[in-house]
Amino acid sequence: MDYSMEDTQNAAPDAHETSKLSSTAQRADTQSVTKRLQHELMELMLSPSPGISAFPNADGNLLSWTATITGPTETPYDGLSLKLSFTFPNNYPYAAPTVLFITPIYHPNVDFSGRICLDILRDKWSAVYNVQTVLLSLQSLLGEPNNASPLNAQAAELWDNDKEEFKRHVLARHRDIDEE
Amino acid sequence: MIQTVPIPASRRRVFDSVFSPASLDDFSPTPVATPALDYTAVGQPFGGGIQTYDRTSLPRPSTASSFLSNDTVPLADEVDKTTWDHAWQVATAFLVLPDAKLSYLEVCGEVDQERFFKQWNRHDPPSKETTEALAYLLGASSAGRQSSGITFERPDLLEWYGNETRRHFLKNFREGLLLLLRATEIGDALQKTVQYLHLARTIYLAPVVEHILPLLDTKAQEKSFGAFQEGFHAVVAYSLPWNTLSPLLAQEVTKEAFIILGIDTLATTDDDENDMEVDRQCTISYLEWREEPSDEVRMHMMAENDDAQVTAARDRLLSLFNGLQLVGLGGDRAQKVFASVMDALLTEFTREAYTGQWEGPSLVVHHLRQWIENVFARLVVQVLAIIHPPEQGSQASDRLSISLSTVERWQESGIARLGALRTGELFDVIVDWPASSGAIEDLRHFTTHPAARLYVTQTFITALNQRLLHPGASTVEILQVYISIIRGFTLLDPKGVLLDRIARPIRRYLRDRDDTIKAIVGGLLADPDEADEQVQPAAGSSADETLVELSAELAKAHRSSLQRADSGELDWDDMNWMPDPVDAAPDYRKSKSSDVIGSLISLFESKEAFVKEMQQMLADRLLRKRGDFEQELSVVEFLKVRFGDSALQACEVMLRDIFDSKRVDASVRNDQRLAQEPDPGVDQPELHAKILSRFFWPELQPLEFKVPEPVAVQQQQYAEGFESLKQSRKLTWHNGLGQVTVELDLEDRVFVDQVTTWQATVIYAFQSSSSALAVEDLSQELAMSAALVRSACLFWVSKRILTEVQRDHFCVLEVLPSETDENAATGGSHPVDAGQDSEEADRSAATANAAAAADAAAAAAAKETADAAAMEKMNLYWQFIMGMLTNQGAMPLQRIVMMLKIAVPGGFPFSNEELREFLAGMVNKGKLEIVSGGNYKIIRDA
């Protein structure tokens, strides 16, 4: 016999009460995700790395964040402020977050809609990575693009052959999106 | 109901068509068709007053003369008519009523019956002529009318007499009676009215009964008597406004029924017992009844309730109703009044008899049932037997007999009243809980159907919201009441549906309180035996503010939970399983833990909060210097049963640490030869340590300072000993925690006390120097915050070990100054104290001052550290704010606060204003700027 349904019904009041208790408390399956993300946020705040920062969006659940990378010196992106969006799946950290550049960027490994080609965001993802490591990887990617597998072939070519022209493209494409 | 106030013209016309419109004085006793008779003069002879009243002054002569004059009418029919007319004259003259005001009725009591009636033209044996005339008229009207083919109109004599009485009543009595009724100051207006009406009825009825009825056959007798009576009732009902009468009646009935039902004795039970003993041998007081051991005697008490006073009241009431019924004021309307009075009195009785009678086991319901059956129902039956509605017949007898089922209905109604009473009292009952179980038993009889249960819960929740769930009530109070509610309602409704309903608002409210967990955990850990000596610096509350009973409950619940294994919702082997009650809430769930502890612990969704608080409390208590921790051990054991072993792992480790410490301490001391310090001459402190596993203990506030040299040496030694005993473990000393027993050898006294480590350290610093030491120097020397040093110094001042020679400079008080010295000394250093004469007062005042100062300083020191910690935290929040503003763009203050509350683990403890201040500081530092709309924007550093 299947009594699972009965159990669910009986458990309903608890769930009800819980949701009333705190707005952050999510259902059981997302609870661990929330916890993990809260932890990551705390870590990020306790040991901030220069040039990167991230914070959850104001929608009340922690599953979407906005991050900011300041372009490293000695790169064409020097001093530019680049924004990214993080969307975490329900089974994070066992699956990679979806990371996109919101700021238009001209980069060999980023296409024109902001999608990023980075191995740790795809097949090389592991649960030991976190927001901070992803941001740091992206920061270094700005200075050392992986021109072997470019999403933007023109950019890859320019990067290799004409840095000046590349930088001109970067600056032409860049737009601050600070003020919404 | 007929009003005597002016009626609108249209309505007057309607009335006029029914009642004689003519002036009452002009009322003619004879038909208009009869030859003119001067009847207008009829009333006049009486006008002069009753004293002059004389039989001869009746207009008999004139009747006679007209009789003769009518003789000349030629028609054959006329002969009959003439005879009839003559007879009519005689009869009406005999029956006519002399006009007289109501005041004449009042003399009734003074003159004797015979003369009285004589005055009213009654009890006069009719003359032969009159008798004949009556007989003729009645005979003609009853028998002769059809046979003799009489053509002229011959009015019915009885009808005429009915009109005559009506006229007489309206003209003479009505006014007076109305005056009487309106004169409210006359207490017995009702009785008087009834009495007068009764007399009037007798006067009106006398000739009918005596002279007319005998002439009729029985069937007609009954009919005409009934008709006459009805006519009288109608005129009475018309002329006396019922809405004036009914309050009087209600008042009267209430007064008497109060005595008959015994309510009066209840009200006075308290104040004049002696009086009552004399007055009333038997009462129906519930208390006395309850004390009576045997049921029979109880029954007896109730049935034998009648004593003289009751009997008298009963007689009065019954006779009143008798009178009312007789004069036509009984019937439906009197019944209604009576019913409403009894209804009110039933409530009154329950209120008077049972308010505050909460002792268990309760016999209230039993008592109430008996009372209704024996006292209440008895009165109702008696009264209803008298006042019955006028329509007689088969149904009347049905109505009178009060069936047993009716009495049962009354009993149910009485119990409902009791339920309402108890519901109203419920809050006080709960507050009083263990002593008021009886009231709950009473309520059980009431809460038998869903509507009543709903009523109880709703009323109670309203009371709760008004009286308990407000900021003025302390959390402990609320918890206390909640515990009582759980116990009380479990008894009231074992299924727990009511409790479930009641508990929701309380639980919701308790969740909002910050200190709920603290109060609960404190209660769990409280030791019932040492509740008094318990000091709880954390809670800062007195002993009675802790829920001591929780710990007792915990032990109790533990035992019971061992007995029945909690198999949860689906207990297949439960042969006593019952479906949920019909009025259970949709998400109602019979709580597995209907016990108190379970309910309290399930207040919050996670056990973590409890465990954390538990750890905190436990740490606090374990670090105190005590021999054993039996209580803590057992509490943790009990909680393990509920929370599971893993949840309380940390607590367990903490306990183990303490127990292990003892052993380790002994062995380390042994190994390092710290224990044997045979030479008492060497001033060597004794060091014991508690070894805590840092990982499992809550964060202890570090309070670092340099301990005195000998202690530091020992610590070193001890640590070495420990590290050799336990490989790969290291000791970190928490100098701020712990107790020191100090023994101070002063010149004239020895001081021994247990103080904190930092206090001891400070006083140790004075050991070497006899001169005054400045706080600042001490602070540097000991690496201790100045505030803490000062606090410690003030502590020692309060113990009269140190004295403050000038601000922030202290020196040791080697010799307690003699009285004069002290005056001088204090005069020197504390000019404020100089003027005081009383040495004792001075000393105690000075000590108290110093103690208060020490406390204040300690508080200041504590605040300083707390402030530092808060600043530390603010730094963290700054990181959050920076992250937020960098990534989400500029935001207004409100939004920042909201986001912080969501994002910061453990919540954001500062108010909007504090944050505003902080952000303003950041703006000043050039880290933020305020852009349009009050939004804060981060300034990108170049």
Side-chain angles (χ1 to χ4, degrees):
Chain A
M1 267 199 240
D2 180 15
Y3 289 102
S4 60
M5 190 140 105
E6 203 172 335
D7 274 340
T8 328
Q9 276 176 344
N10 286 330
D14 265 357
H16 192 54
E17 285 195 357
T18 308
S19 69
K20 261 189 285 182
L21 275 180
S22 66
S23 48
T24 51
Q26 300 298 314
R27 301 243 320 280
D29 52 339
T30 61
Q31 192 131 34
S32 61
V33 182
T34 311
K35 220 169 181 174
R36 154 99 185 205
L37 286 172
Q38 211 148 29
H39 186 73
E40 283 192 22
L41 178 63
M42 197 67 195
E43 229 164 59
L44 212 56
M45 293 301 148
L46 285 173
S47 55
S49 319
I52 61 168
S53 91
F55 206 79
N57 288 341
D59 57 1
N61 77 36
L62 289 171
L63 293 183
S64 66
W65 292 27
T66 303
T68 309
I69 299 178
T70 309
T73 48
E74 317 277 313
T75 67
Y77 307 94
D78 185 6
L80 299 182
S81 163
L82 304 162
K83 295 216 163 189
L84 301 102
S85 78
F86 276 70
T87 311
F88 298 94
N90 270 340
N91 54 349
Y92 183 81
Y94 302 108
T98 311
V99 184
L100 295 175
F101 272 101
I102 315 173
T103 311
I105 182 175
Y106 187 77
H107 188 275
N109 301 111
V110 182
D111 72 5
F112 284 102
S113 40
R115 283 186 290 252
I116 305 164
C117 176
L118 182 63
D119 52 358
I120 61 161
L121 289 177
R122 286 156 201 264
D123 45 346
K124 294 273 173 54
W125 173 259
S126 131
V128 300
Y129 292 124
N130 56 32
V131 177
Q132 192 161 13
T133 53
V134 168
L135 284 173
L136 286 173
S137 303
L138 286 170
Q139 199 180 25
S140 67
L141 188 71
L142 292 178
E144 302 151 13
N146 176 8
N147 281 343
S149 61
L151 274 177
N152 184 342
Q154 185 205 19
E157 206 184 316
L158 281 178
W159 175 277
D160 286 338
N161 303 325
D162 189 351
K163 282 284 178 68
E164 284 305 309
E165 181 66 10
F166 182 86
K167 175 139 193 195
R168 217 174 47 75
H169 271 94
V170 166
L171 293 178
R173 181 150 170 71
H174 181 79
R175 241 178 323 111
D176 261 332
I177 54 155
D178 245 8
E179 315 315 325
E180 290 129 44
Chain B
M1 207 138 304
I2 296 160
Q3 301 278 345
T4 50
V5 292
I7 351 173
S10 58
R11 281 178 66 191
R12 183 185 295 277
R13 273 206 303 283
V14 176
F15 281 127
D16 287 352
S17 68
V18 178
F19 298 102
S20 171
S23 143
L24 291 171
D25 292 321
D26 286 343
F27 188 81
S28 167
T30 46
V32 199
T34 46
L37 288 171
D38 193 10
Y39 260 89
T40 50
V42 152
Q44 278 160 8
F46 312 109
I50 199 98
Q51 284 83 3
T52 61
Y53 167 73
D54 186 1
R55 195 71 182 83
T56 52
S57 66
L58 277 177
R60 185 165 293 164
S62 83
T63 337
S65 69
S66 61
F67 197 92
L68 290 173
S69 70
N70 277 337
D71 215 14
T72 55
V73 178
L75 284 163
D77 241 6
E78 294 290 284
V79 183
D80 256 359
K81 185 173 166 47
T82 314
T83 328
W84 192 85
D85 276 347
H86 182 71
W88 180 262
Q89 299 296 348
V90 174
T92 52
F94 171 70
L95 289 174
V96 81
L97 289 157
D99 281 355
K101 289 289 169 202
L102 184 73
S103 50
Y104 295 125
L105 288 177
E106 283 169 24
V107 301
C108 165
E110 293 145 38
V111 296
D112 68 301
Q113 201 84 349
E114 188 89 7
R115 258 193 65 206
F116 177 75
F117 281 114
K118 205 164 176 125
Q119 281 172 348
W120 285 92
N121 186 17
R122 293 298 175 253
H123 281 250
D124 238 11
S127 62
K128 190 164 178 289
E129 189 189 9
T130 319
T131 324
E132 272 169 15
L134 284 173
Y136 172 73
L137 287 174
L138 291 170
S141 65
S142 59
R145 187 168 287 188
Q146 319 86 317
S147 59
S148 57
I150 293 164
T151 55
F152 63 91
E153 197 185 351
R154 287 194 294 188
D156 187 19
L157 184 68
L158 275 169
E159 207 172 280
W160 175 83
Y161 185 63
N163 285 341
E164 165 70 7
T165 56
R166 197 173 298 145
R167 174 198 69 81
H168 186 264
F169 184 84
L170 290 177
K171 184 182 170 199
N172 296 310
F173 295 156
R174 180 179 155 190
E175 205 77 355
L177 286 173
L178 284 179
L179 276 178
L180 187 65
L181 283 179
R182 289 203 184 115
T184 41
E185 71 271 16
I186 302 175
D188 53 352
L190 188 70
Q191 272 109 329
K192 274 217 174 112
T193 312
V194 170
Q195 188 194 344
Y196 292 159
L197 285 173
H198 191 59
L199 280 175
R201 179 176 176 276
T202 321
I203 291 164
Y204 295 153
L205 267 179
V208 179
V209 175
E210 278 170 34
H211 309 305
I212 300 179
L213 291 185
L215 301 172
L216 298 169
D217 55 78
T218 36
K219 203 177 159 201
Q221 256 178 22
E222 234 169 64
K223 197 178 143 212
S224 45
F225 183 77
F228 185 79
Q229 180 127 323
E230 220 167 272
F232 179 71
H233 289 171
V235 76
V236 169
Y238 160 68
S239 48
L240 297 181
W242 183 250
N243 53 2
T244 319
L245 214 52
S246 60
L248 284 175
L249 180 59
Q251 204 183 328
E252 199 68 23
V253 174
T254 311
K255 199 176 86 194
E256 305 295 358
F258 228 68
I259 299 171
I260 299 171
L261 297 181
I263 300 174
D264 58 334
T265 55
L266 296 172
T268 57
T269 321
D270 296 332
D271 17 280
D272 44 5
E273 254 173 59
N274 293 336
D275 234 17
M276 204 194 60
E277 289 296 319
V278 182
D279 265 346
R280 312 275 304 263
Q281 251 86 51
C282 308
T283 74
I284 46 168
S285 149
Y286 169 64
L287 269 185
E288 286 171 39
W289 182 83
R290 191 169 178 269
E291 250 128 67
E292 208 55 61
S294 87
D295 264 359
E296 258 171 62
V297 180
R298 284 176 178 166
M299 197 68 167
H300 211 58
M301 278 176 81
M302 197 64 87
E304 299 274 302
N305 173 35
D306 282 12
D307 62 1
Q309 217 177 324
V310 170
T311 319
R314 192 185 297 275
D315 287 347
R316 276 202 301 279
L317 186 65
L318 293 186
S319 73
L320 174 70
F321 275 118
N322 254 326
L324 281 175
Q325 178 67 21
L326 215 53
V327 299
L329 291 174
D332 263 348
R333 295 185 296 183
Q335 273 186 0
K336 263 179 215 154
V337 170
F338 179 68
S340 74
V341 167
M342 290 309 272
D343 178 65
L345 286 183
L346 186 56
T347 313
E348 181 77 359
F349 176 79
T350 44
R351 200 168 59 74
E352 291 285 352
Y354 306 127
T355 303
Q357 308 284 343
W358 299 335
E359 303 89 347
S362 170
L363 297 168
V364 166
V365 171
H366 195 49
H367 180 257
L368 182 63
R369 278 179 188 279
Q370 264 190 27
W371 177 79
I372 287 178
E373 194 178 325
N374 292 312
V375 182
F376 187 83
R378 184 166 154 213
L379 179 67
V380 174
V381 169
Q382 281 171 334
V383 170
L384 285 192
I386 295 168
I387 43 168
H388 44 78
E391 67 266 23
Q392 312 238 327
S394 59
Q395 46 167 319
S397 56
D398 288 348
R399 195 170 298 198
L400 287 183
S401 65
I402 306 289
S403 65
L404 207 59
S405 69
T406 319
V407 176
E408 265 164 25
R409 251 196 357 256
W410 291 338
Q411 288 175 341
E412 288 315 312
S413 155
I415 286 169
R417 306 287 158 91
L418 178 66
L421 174 76
R422 288 287 184 253
T423 307
E425 293 176 325
L426 192 53
F427 187 78
D428 298 309
V429 169
I430 291 293
V431 170
D432 251 31
W433 165 247
S436 57
S437 57
I440 297 290
E441 286 176 47
D442 299 342
L443 258 186
R444 279 183 80 165
H445 291 273
F446 174 59
T447 54
T448 45
H449 57 93
R453 292 156 68 96
L454 193 66
Y455 172 72
V456 169
T457 51
Q458 277 181 346
T459 314
F460 189 61
I461 288 174
T462 315
L464 275 181
N465 283 332
Q466 263 174 11
R467 298 180 58 177
L468 187 68
L469 303 182
H470 54 72
S474 78
T475 306
V476 172
E477 267 167 35
I478 296 176
L479 286 170
Q480 199 92 49
V481 173
Y482 184 40
I483 292 171
S484 297
I485 287 174
I486 292 173
R487 295 193 181 139
F489 274 74
T490 310
L491 185 68
L492 177 63
D493 172 42
K495 274 280 174 195
V497 180
L498 295 187
L499 178 62
D500 179 60
R501 256 188 252 161
I502 296 285
R504 277 163 201 251
I506 305 177
R507 294 171 71 92
R508 211 175 304 132
Y509 186 82
L510 277 175
R511 277 182 209 127
D512 292 344
R513 286 246 173 169
D514 296 338
D515 55 345
T516 304
I517 294 183
K518 191 168 258 178
I520 294 172
V521 175
L524 288 176
L525 281 172
D527 190 338
D529 303 327
E530 10 175 311
D532 296 330
E533 57 186 276
Q534 213 164 57
V535 212
Q536 287 197 332
S541 50
S542 57
D544 60 344
E545 276 288 89
T546 57
L547 287 163
V548 174
E549 59 183 293
L550 265 185
S551 55
E553 182 75 24
L554 185 63
K556 205 171 75 196
H558 177 60
R559 249 176 279 124
S560 65
S561 74
L562 282 185
Q563 282 160 14
R564 65 179 163 82
D566 213 351
S567 43
E569 187 70 12
L570 301 172
D571 184 359
W572 303 113
D573 299 326
D574 185 3
M575 285 301 139
N576 299 317
W577 184 86
M578 295 266 281
D580 289 346
V582 280
D583 55 343
D587 55 350
Y588 157 82
R589 189 159 50 134
K590 171 97 177 108
S591 58
K592 285 179 280 183
S593 48
S594 64
D595 59 324
V596 171
I597 306 275
S599 306
L600 289 182
I601 286 174
S602 61
L603 264 180
F604 297 91
E605 92 272 30
S606 74
K607 305 175 243 180
E608 279 161 40
F610 272 100
V611 174
K612 215 173 130 204
E613 188 64 39
M614 184 79 194
Q615 264 174 286
Q616 201 74 46
M617 285 266 200
L618 205 60
D620 217 52
R621 296 165 62 98
L622 288 180
L623 288 178
R624 265 184 248 148
K625 193 180 177 187
R626 282 232 310 269
D628 66 315
F629 294 97
E630 281 302 315
Q631 159 114 31
E632 284 77 6
L633 191 64
S634 65
V635 167
V636 169
E637 284 299 318
F638 290 151
L639 287 179
K640 251 166 43 181
V641 174
R642 288 174 183 283
F643 286 153
D645 288 353
S646 57
L648 285 166
Q649 194 195 20
C651 293
E652 216 177 340
V653 172
M654 287 162 72
L655 278 169
R656 269 185 64 119
D657 277 350
I658 297 301
F659 291 122
D660 284 355
S661 295
K662 252 187 229 165
R663 228 182 34 248
V664 173
D665 186 53
S667 75
V668 167
R669 288 171 61 76
N670 231 346
D671 294 352
Q672 298 295 314
R673 315 211 174 281
L674 289 168
Q676 326 141 344
E677 208 69 53
D679 187 2
V682 178
D683 190 16
Q684 196 61 275
E686 207 178 304
L687 180 77
H688 296 270
K690 279 178 180 166
I691 296 136
L692 317 178
S693 315
R694 192 177 60 123
F695 185 71
F696 293 95
W697 284 67
E699 206 165 306
L700 301 162
Q701 210 157 47
L703 196 63
E704 289 310 324
F705 52 87
K706 257 189 241 162
V707 292
E709 195 52 35
V711 181
V713 169
Q714 286 220 359
Q715 281 184 342
Q716 185 69 30
Q717 235 179 329
Y718 197 103
E720 277 165 21
F722 176 78
E723 274 154 36
S724 67
L725 188 70
K726 303 261 178 181
Q727 303 290 322
S728 78
R729 288 216 224 164
K730 231 172 95 80
L731 275 186
T732 311
W733 295 93
H734 266 278
N735 290 335
L737 302 167
Q739 288 86 22
V740 181
T741 310
V742 290
E743 189 177 327
L744 302 175
D745 256 327
L746 297 154
E747 269 172 34
D748 61 340
R749 62 198 190 280
V750 175
F751 177 89
V752 182
D753 199 3
Q754 201 174 72
V755 299
T756 64
T757 48
W758 43 278
Q759 285 163 346
T761 306
V762 168
I763 199 63
Y764 188 84
F766 282 92
Q767 175 144 333
S768 46
S769 92
S770 54
S771 63
L773 290 177
V775 169
E776 208 172 310
D777 301 340
L778 279 173
S779 162
Q780 263 180 9
E781 190 186 323
L782 302 176
M784 197 187 284
S785 81
L788 200 60
V789 173
R790 184 169 166 77
S791 146
C793 289
L794 288 175
F795 170 80
W796 289 113
V797 170
S798 78
K799 299 284 180 203
R800 295 175 72 76
I801 303 296
L802 291 182
T803 176
E804 189 170 16
V805 287
Q806 72 185 77
R807 172 103 187 128
D808 281 349
H809 284 75
F810 296 87
C811 81
V812 179
L813 202 60
E814 279 290 349
V815 185
L816 270 184
S818 68
E819 302 186 357
T820 48
D821 277 356
E822 181 165 302
N823 260 349
T826 50
S829 60
H830 297 277
V832 191
D833 294 340
Q836 294 190 359
D837 294 333
S838 159
E839 183 56 36
E840 211 35 54
D842 181 15
R843 180 175 309 188
S844 61
T847 321
N849 278 349
D855 283 351
K863 186 161 169 18
E864 198 167 278
T865 48
D867 279 354
M871 253 345 269
E872 187 91 354
K873 275 202 145 180
M874 211 51 185
N875 250 340
L876 173 65
Y877 297 135
W878 173 238
Q879 289 300 328
F880 273 92
I881 294 166
M882 280 215 301
M884 192 188 312
L885 294 180
T886 309
N887 294 297
Q888 309 292 341
M891 283 186 194
L893 182 78
Q894 289 299 333
R895 185 115 171 256
I896 295 176
V897 172
M898 194 192 80
M899 283 298 289
L900 282 176
K901 278 186 177 152
I902 294 173
V904 179
F908 182 66
F910 297 101
S911 70
N912 287 4
E913 277 58 47
E914 283 166 310
L915 182 65
R916 192 194 301 281
E917 214 166 283
F918 177 77
L919 291 181
M922 284 304 176
V923 170
N924 284 340
K925 282 186 196 164
K927 303 217 171 166
L928 288 177
E929 60 179 329
I930 300 180
V931 294
S932 61
N935 286 354
Y936 289 90
K937 185 168 179 274
I938 200 140
I939 294 176
R940 204 113 54 82
D941 39 75

